[in-house]
Amino acid sequence: MNALKDVISLKFKTMQSDGILLHREGQNGNHITLELIKGKLSLLINLGATKTHPSNAQINITLGSLLDDQHWHSVLIEHFNNQVNFTVDKHTHHFHAKGEFSYLDLDYELSFGGIPVPGKSGTLSRRNFYGCFENIYYNGVNIIDLARMHKSQIYFVGNMSFSCLEPQVVPVTFLSSRSYLALPGTSGQDEIIINFQFRTWNKDGLLLFSKLHQASGSFLLYLSDGKVKSSLHKPGKARSDISA
């Protein structure tokens, strides 16, 4: 559908930090891409391309952070003439898209969750979205309703379901500074891999402590002034500290 004004809105929820949420592209390289990159939403717009000038004005606006927290986040993109309003969770960025642009320069196809032809445009991560969408509206049309009714103008790629399954996560809370979990280790292991997620308001605290059986040393992972730090200590050697 071609219109003088484009309004696209949706809500998403994911635990993945990267992925294509929205893509629309024209024959001359004009494209609009909404992409999740390291937990932030990036709106990439190239509307200045013509046959004589294939690459002209490109805009990249980033909003939000930690959007891969498995909570619902709302997105609104309003495009009227060359004025664009980009809103993520009620935070709006207004800007003017430079260059001559007509919606006739864009293909009729609008994709959600990925790019139909991989590598067709100069997107950053090119990863398909993995998570849930709801309330996808394009100029007032409910896209999910069309998909659920299997209307002819909608087609699917890959596996989808009209539900949003919650991941089974069982957290544990340490209610005092004396609380901790202990896991007996087995000697003789050459490699130990540990992974976890944590959330705290405290800027300091011990996250992980482990004795090194072979070297009689110790390994520490801790928070110090809001930064994650690790410390490796071996007898007779200087302590190795890493801050991230």
Side-chain angles (χ1 to χ4, degrees):
M1 297 180 292
N2 284 287
L4 295 176
K5 183 178 181 180
D6 253 11
V7 179
I8 302 171
S9 62
L10 58 87
K11 295 179 73 176
F12 73 93
K13 179 166 65 171
T14 183
M15 294 183 69
Q16 304 296 317
S17 59
D18 299 274
I20 299 287
L21 271 72
L22 166 71
H23 184 75
R24 192 179 186 186
E25 187 163 341
Q27 296 179 353
N28 298 320
N30 291 333
H31 60 87
I32 299 175
T33 304
L34 181 66
E35 185 171 12
L36 195 62
I37 303 172
K38 295 182 179 179
K40 300 180 180 182
L41 266 184
S42 177
L43 181 63
L44 181 64
I45 299 181
N46 188 342
L47 301 179
T50 62
K51 291 181 179 179
T52 55
H53 298 85
S55 179
N56 194 351
Q58 183 166 293
I59 297 172
N60 194 346
I61 304 296
T62 299
L63 283 180
S65 63
L66 303 176
L67 300 176
D68 51 346
D69 59 358
Q70 194 59 21
H71 290 124
W72 286 108
H73 297 283
S74 60
V75 181
L76 174 64
I77 301 172
E78 300 171 291
H79 194 167
F80 179 68
N81 290 332
N82 282 359
Q83 181 66 36
V84 180
N85 300 327
F86 178 36
T87 304
V88 177
D89 293 337
K90 298 183 180 180
H91 297 281
T92 304
H93 190 104
H94 308 274
F95 61 95
H96 189 77
K98 299 178 182 179
E100 295 296 325
F101 172 67
S102 166
Y103 281 106
L104 295 175
D105 294 333
L106 291 176
D107 292 340
Y108 292 110
E109 189 167 82
L110 177 65
S111 61
F112 296 93
I115 298 179
V117 182
K120 186 178 179 183
S121 71
T123 53
L124 300 177
S125 73
R126 297 197 182 102
R127 290 185 183 178
N128 282 6
F129 175 78
Y130 180 80
C132 300
F133 281 135
E134 73 174 14
N135 296 340
I136 301 177
Y137 283 91
Y138 174 62
N139 290 342
V141 177
N142 190 321
I143 302 301
I144 294 180
D145 274 357
L146 293 179
R148 189 163 46 190
M149 293 184 290
H150 295 278
K151 293 295 184 178
S152 59
Q153 64 263 49
I154 302 285
Y155 70 91
F156 303 88
V157 177
N159 297 324
M160 288 178 222
S161 69
F162 292 102
S163 62
C164 187
L165 298 177
E166 295 290 339
Q168 295 299 314
V169 177
V170 181
V172 59
T173 300
F174 300 111
L175 298 175
S176 75
S177 59
R178 298 181 301 275
S179 305
Y180 65 90
L181 284 173
L183 175 68
T186 55
S187 60
Q189 285 182 284
D190 293 330
E191 186 180 65
I192 298 175
I193 299 174
I194 302 170
N195 63 285
F196 59 89
Q197 293 177 302
F198 70 92
R199 183 172 66 181
T200 180
W201 290 108
N202 298 321
K203 292 186 176 181
D204 301 278
L206 180 63
L207 297 173
L208 174 71
F209 169 79
S210 179
K211 288 183 178 180
L212 304 178
H213 293 284
Q214 294 178 344
S216 300
S218 62
F219 173 76
L220 290 169
L221 186 69
Y222 59 98
L223 277 174
S224 177
D225 195 27
K227 296 182 180 179
V228 177
K229 298 186 178 182
S230 66
S231 178
L232 181 63
H233 177 68
K234 294 181 180 180
K237 293 186 178 181
R239 196 175 72 176
S240 175
D241 296 316
I242 299 174
S243 179

